[in-house]
């Protein structure tokens, strides 16, 4: 049908294309990047399959591309007799169908089941943007793009229909052959109705009629396990776990943990064997009842004696130095009225206290979903003991739980905070008070908008600039450099996350630290100076298990190290920069006398606090734990590198962002000039108690740019562009980061 439309109504197709170019063609650089990115993603998928020697997947991808070329040529010649795709111009008009987009979609469709979800979603989104961009750039007509979508998706579906998954779940015949090779005789082999990501589960009977469970890890399963392990390590602050990565090592580890737990008196499955099959798949065969998990039982069928027995088994498991890792009711089966703990794939041997405490927190929440908080807490207190439950309180939070338990708790509306408070009260302990986090509200945006307006009026008066002059300068900005500056402005989030890790002795995962820095962009809209950052950091670190003294100290340590880095960098680069600070803008900045007065007052406050015995008696005990934490951080080489290296990288990246904003207006400055201007503006705006330094930061940046020889109107345009990239736009995605942190229990 699309072929008929393309051949029969070319004028209407052209009119639609012209309308799309008019509406969307104002950002050609964005659309070019989207097209190149989509083609690059498809090429990367093919190259990765070749590098990993995934020959079945390579076969499928090549077959899909050949089909796209063949069918596309046939369809193209139906529309245009002399149809030939252009090869010289990547953004040229290639005709019907748009084979570039069709090829990308075919690759994504074929490889989609083999990709992890973020990559799969990203590839799909990239292909969609590339399709839209082709029309916006005038490289394709709407009918050609629609034809490409149909061709690419249809080709991918056809290839997978013919060959199926390149390396999916092994068939029953393959598993049966593997079991025969390793010497296990089974009957009635069938896939288990309860499958999970990362492995393929089968059920069968042995030669004596006993139930068997066969867990198979193929290449895809191993990759999924590895990705899941790395994601968990990146996203969550888990205690150290085992490092097995190979298929055989994974099943051997689970078998060993199961045997050791069984020897410790814990009811676990009986291990039959763990071995590699002829095709390289790893198999773990255990004898265990083919019954549903505990979490599927009605609450009235779960007796208090059953729960008490489960908690006693957990106590024996931990006494043997083993932490389960996923100890929820889904990994507990009931046989003869007694609980059996299964699936020790994520277990830790010689587990640290944190891993064992996480087990208790996980099981407590899971059983609370099953039988209610009161019964669950009473069983935990009786079975595991009040001290064990009290020690697990820091981990009784969403961030310490598996996604499975978090989702079930959310669906059952089990309040984890309420459960933590009840557990603390039952054990006679106190729940640490956490400072409330101020929510992001619409009125905060209004306040920020008013502050921005006030800043513009102030700077316009200082620089004697007119509105039309500023607009003319902004219109001359090169969009490519502005987008590059916006991209560069997000990289300091990673550096700041690293410096936060270095500010505390407690190990922290990187990704939540980075997302915290993004969320702080929202907080900075409402809280003056560094107060908001310090308050939220304290809350975050407490949730991550850091002691209160360490959490309180961390913000100060990070801020102090940032100040030291700025001072040292200024001293190093000042001789290489020629400054002219005269002019109208300089008169609007804080004077050296004012800055010196502020420093003198701060020094006097410290001196008085140390000189008066009553004040010293109150201040020093509160500071001593923090000083000890600071000493620990500074005496650890890795922490020093993270703390100071992260702050140095952050300053350099912010300076490069300012440089990219300047290049958007044709202004080329040295790195030394950019560093000095940016750090001076940050220091000056920090003295003004305005959220985010609005007004003061723009004034200081403008004055700094003028001081290094930039025209006043251009300097103001650069300052506004830089602030858009670093302050006014990042709260948009920072809001999503804040939501994720709150939903995951990090703040």
């Amino acid at each position: 049908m699309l072929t008929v439309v393309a051949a029969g109504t070319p004028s209407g197709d052209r009119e639609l294309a012209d309308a799309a170019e008019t509406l969307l063609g104002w950002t050609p650089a964005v659309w070019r990047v989207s097209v190149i990115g989509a083609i690059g993603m498809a090429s990367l998928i093919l190259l990765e399959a070749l590098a990993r020697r995934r020959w079945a997947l390579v076969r499928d991808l090549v077959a899909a591309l050949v089909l796209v070329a063949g069918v596309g040529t046939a369809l193209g010649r139906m529309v245009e007799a002399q149809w030939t795709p252009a090869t010289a111009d990547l953004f040229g008009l290639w005709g019907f169908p748009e084979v570039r987009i069709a090829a990308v979609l075919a690759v994504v469709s074929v490889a989609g089941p083999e990709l992890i979800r973020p990559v799969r979603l990203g590839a799909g989104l990239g292909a969609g943007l590339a399709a839209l961009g082709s029309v916006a750039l005038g490289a394709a007509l709407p009918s050609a793009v629609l034809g490409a979508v149909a061709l690419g998706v249809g080709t991918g579906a056809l290839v997978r229909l013919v060959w199926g998954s390149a390396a999916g779940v092994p068939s029953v015949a393959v598993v049966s052959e593997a079991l025969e090779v390793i010497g296990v005789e089974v009957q009635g082999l069938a896939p288990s109705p309860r499958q999970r990501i990362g492995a393929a589960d089968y059920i069968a009977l042995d030669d004596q009629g006993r139930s068997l469970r066969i867990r198979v890890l193929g290449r895809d399963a191993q990759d999924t396990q590895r990705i899941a392990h790395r994601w968990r390590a990146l996203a969550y602050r888990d205690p150290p776990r085992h490092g097995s990565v190979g298929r055989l090592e994974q099943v051997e580890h689970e078998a060993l943990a199961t045997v050791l737990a069984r020897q410790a008196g814990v009811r676990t499955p009986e291990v039959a064997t763990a071995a590699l099959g002829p095709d390289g798949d790893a198999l773990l065969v255990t004898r265990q009842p083919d019954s549903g998990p505990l979490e599927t039982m009605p609450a009235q069928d779960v007796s208090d004696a059953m729960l008490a027995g489960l908690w006693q088994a957990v106590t024996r498991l931990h006494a043997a130095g083993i932490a389960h890792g996923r100890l929820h009711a889904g990994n507990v089966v009931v046989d003869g009225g007694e609980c059996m703990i299964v699936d020790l794939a994520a277990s830790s041997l010689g587990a640290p206290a944190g891993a064992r405490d996480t087990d208790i927190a996980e099981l407590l929440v899971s059983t609370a979903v099953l039988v209610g908080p009161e019964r669950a807490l009473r069983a935990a207190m009786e079975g595991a003991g009040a001290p064990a439950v009290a020690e697990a309180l820091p981990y009784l939070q969403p961030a310490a739980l598996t996604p499975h338990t978090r989702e079930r708790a959310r669906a059952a509306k089990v309040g984890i905070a309420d459960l933590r408070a009840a557990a603390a009260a039952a054990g006679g302990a106190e729940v640490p008070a956490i400072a409330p986090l101020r929510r992001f509200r619409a009125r905060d945006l209004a306040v920020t908008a008013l502050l921005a307006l006030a800043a513009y009026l102030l700077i316009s008066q200082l620089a004697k600039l007119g509105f039309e002059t500023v607009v003319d300068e902004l219109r001359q900005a090169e969009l490519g450099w502005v987008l590059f500056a916006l991209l560069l402005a997000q990289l300091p989030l990673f550096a700041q996350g690293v410096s936060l890790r270095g500010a505390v002795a407690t190990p922290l995962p990187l990704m939540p630290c980075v997302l915290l820095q993004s969320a702080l962009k929202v907080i900075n809209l409402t809280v003056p100076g560094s107060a908001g950052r310090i308050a939220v950091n304290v809350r975050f670190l407490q949730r991550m298990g850091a002691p209160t003294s360490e959490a309180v100290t961390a913000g100060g340590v990070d801020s102090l190290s940032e100040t030291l880095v700025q001072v040292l960098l200024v001293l190093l680069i000042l001789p290489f920069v020629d400054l002219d600070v005269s002019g109208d803008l300089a008169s609007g900045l804080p004077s050296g006398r004012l800055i010196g007065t502020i420093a003198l007052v701060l020094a006097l406050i410290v001196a008085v606090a140390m000189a008066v015995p009553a004040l010293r008696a109150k201040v020093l005990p509160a500071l001593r734990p923090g000083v000890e934490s600071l000493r620990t951080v500074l005496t650890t080489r890795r922490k020093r590198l993270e703390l100071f290296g992260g702050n140095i990288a952050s300053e350099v990246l912010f300076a490069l962002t300012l440089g990219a904003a300047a290049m958007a207006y044709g202004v080329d400055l040295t790195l030394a000039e950019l560093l000095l201007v940016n750090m001076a503006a940050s220091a000056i705006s920090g003295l003004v108690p305005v959220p985010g330094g609005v007004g003061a930061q723009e004034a200081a940046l403008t004055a700094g740019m003028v001081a290094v020889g930039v025209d006043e109107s251009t300097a103001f345009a650069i300052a506004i562009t830089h602030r858009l990239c670093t302050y006014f736009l990042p709260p948009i995605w920072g809001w999503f980061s804040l939501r994720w942190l709150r939903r995951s229990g990090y703040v």
Side-chain angles (χ1 to χ4, degrees), residues 650-689:
S650 177
E651 296 296 339
V652 172
L653 289 169
F654 275 125
L656 292 176
T657 302
L658 181 61
M663 288 298 296
Y665 300 91
V667 176
D668 188 7
L669 300 175
T670 66
L671 180 60
E673 291 172 331
L674 294 170
L675 281 168
L676 184 60
V677 169
N678 186 71
M679 289 186 294
S682 298
I684 292 171
S685 64
L687 299 174
V688 182

Side-chain angles (χ1 to χ4, degrees), residues 143-170:
S143 62
V145 170
L146 293 176
V149 172
L151 176 59
V153 175
T155 299
L158 178 62
V159 169
R160 299 205 70 85
L161 179 64
V162 173
W163 282 300
S165 174
V169 175

Side-chain angles (χ1 to χ4, degrees), residues 83-222:
W83 181 88
T84 302
T87 56
D89 187 0
L90 180 62
F91 301 105
L93 187 63
W94 285 22
F96 182 93
E98 174 48 54
V99 292
R100 292 161 291 193
I101 302 302
V104 170
L105 287 170
V107 170
V108 173
S109 298
V110 171
E114 317 298 333
L115 304 175
I116 61 174
R117 187 170 183 270
V119 175
R120 185 166 62 250
L121 293 177
L125 178 61
L129 290 175
L132 188 62
S134 298
V135 178
L137 291 170
L141 298 176
S143 62
V145 170
L146 293 176
V149 172
L151 176 59
V153 175
T155 299
L158 178 62
V159 169
R160 299 205 70 85
L161 179 64
V162 173
W163 282 300
S165 174
V169 175
S171 65
V172 171
V174 171
V175 176
S176 179
E177 180 184 355
L179 290 171
E180 183 178 351
V181 170
I182 64 177
V184 178
E185 297 182 5
V186 300
Q187 51 186 334
L189 181 66
S192 173
R194 294 179 296 275
Q195 295 289 338
R196 55 182 174 168
I197 296 176
D201 289 330
Y202 299 81
I203 55 176
L205 299 176
D206 63 9
D207 53 0
Q208 299 180 17
R210 293 175 297 182
S211 296
L212 293 178
R213 173 179 174 268
I214 301 96
R215 182 168 179 254
V216 183
L217 272 71
R219 177 178 295 169
D220 286 357
Q222 178 188 351

Side-chain angles (χ1 to χ4, degrees), residues 74 97 386 577 585 622 655:
V577 180
L585 279 169

Side-chain angles (χ1 to χ4, degrees), residues 99 126 168 202 222 241 271 280 292 308 440 443 510 597 643 680 697 705:
V99 292
Y202 299 81
Q222 178 188 351
R241 300 191 185 279
V271 176
F440 173 63
R443 74 180 187 186
L510 178 59
T597 301
L643 182 61
Q697 183 86 347
M705 299 298 289

Side-chain angles (χ1 to χ4, degrees), residues 442-457:
R443 74 180 187 186
D444 298 330
L445 282 178
V447 171
T448 302
L450 291 174
L451 287 172
L453 177 61
Y456 166 73
L457 295 175

